[in-house]
Amino acid sequence: MNLRGGFALYSTDTENSPFFVFLQENSTQNIGVVDKATFQGFEFDVTANPLPGLRVNAGFGYVDSEIKDFINDNDPLYPAGLDESLVIGNQTPAVSKTTINLGAQYVHDLSDGISSLVWRLDYQRLGKTNFDIYESTTRDPVNLVNARITYEAENWSLALWAKNLADKQYNSEWSPGGFLYRARPRVFGLTYTYNFES
């Protein structure tokens, strides 16, 4: 069995990170700024080929974000200023604390010797996600499944695929003031690819 993987630790400082705020008074999406923030975390992945034609992969990521500095006139919701202690130490917006990825792919060679069927299934879990600098709104973990089956010939392929196979309903974006954006529902597609010989 072939097995390979990777692991990484990181620590990143950012300045002037934007975030979005919706103002109902004039129906506009505005940009605020987090003056300083830190991101510390780790991630790892592993890929294995336990059987001929079968490949499986797994990955996990964790990030701890923290707002370190915030000038109180950088939030469009509070142009007159607010108590900075309500923000400093909070998580940065739209960062999922954990992410899990699992996948499996099987290649079935057909009898003609020049074509194959490729089956692929992917699972992703987006961990708890904070949406605003005040930590007033968070999204519970989201589980997503994607699938694909591909017929591969010598110089062309045809793939039938589905994203968000379980038709999970969730918000991909939310900002103070009442703006939210729903994630795409289940989507099916058919993709044809042709490789021109040079």
Side-chain angles (χ1 to χ4, degrees):
M1 181 175 69
N2 183 21
L3 183 67
R4 62 183 183 275
F7 179 79
L9 289 169
Y10 62 87
S11 179
T12 303
D13 297 326
T14 65
E15 295 183 357
N16 301 322
S17 300
F19 63 92
F20 295 99
V21 173
F22 179 75
L23 297 182
Q24 292 183 339
E25 293 80 3
N26 52 17
S27 298
T28 60
Q29 183 86 320
N30 299 267
I31 298 178
V33 174
V34 174
D35 296 272
K36 292 182 181 180
T38 61
F39 299 83
Q40 296 179 331
F42 67 89
E43 55 188 31
F44 72 85
D45 63 88
V46 61
T47 302
N49 300 94
L51 297 170
L54 178 63
R55 183 178 69 193
V56 295
N57 64 274
F60 178 81
Y62 171 84
V63 58
D64 181 27
S65 64
E66 183 179 353
I67 297 173
K68 292 292 189 180
D69 192 16
F70 184 81
I71 298 176
N72 59 22
D73 59 358
N74 279 346
D75 184 354
L77 269 183
Y78 298 95
L82 80 161
D83 185 354
E84 295 177 2
S85 65
L86 298 175
V87 175
I88 294 177
N90 290 352
Q91 299 177 48
T92 57
V95 176
S96 299
K97 206 170 187 67
T98 59
T99 304
I100 299 173
N101 293 285
L102 301 173
Q105 177 175 293
Y106 179 70
V107 179
H108 174 66
D109 293 325
L110 301 179
S111 57
D112 59 11
I114 60 173
S115 62
S116 59
L117 281 175
V118 181
W119 306 78
R120 172 124 198 130
L121 188 66
D122 288 288
Y123 164 81
Q124 182 181 48
R125 180 178 174 86
L126 303 174
K128 189 174 181 179
T129 304
N130 169 54
F131 276 129
D132 66 289
I133 60 175
Y134 313 103
E135 296 186 348
S136 65
T137 301
T138 59
R139 184 186 65 203
D140 291 335
V142 176
N143 299 296
L144 302 173
V145 177
N146 300 327
R148 174 184 292 259
I149 179 173
T150 307
Y151 175 81
E152 294 185 345
E154 187 173 10
N155 58 357
W156 63 274
S157 66
L158 184 66
L160 175 65
W161 51 264
K163 295 184 177 180
N164 192 8
L165 187 61
D167 199 24
K168 177 67 176 179
Q169 305 295 312
Y170 67 100
N171 295 329
S172 62
E173 183 181 347
W174 183 93
S175 67
F179 176 85
L180 65 84
Y181 186 79
R182 299 286 281 179
R184 297 185 70 181
R186 178 171 49 223
V187 178
F188 293 99
L190 190 66
T191 302
Y192 173 79
T193 304
Y194 184 86
N195 296 321
F196 293 92
E197 296 182 0
S198 57

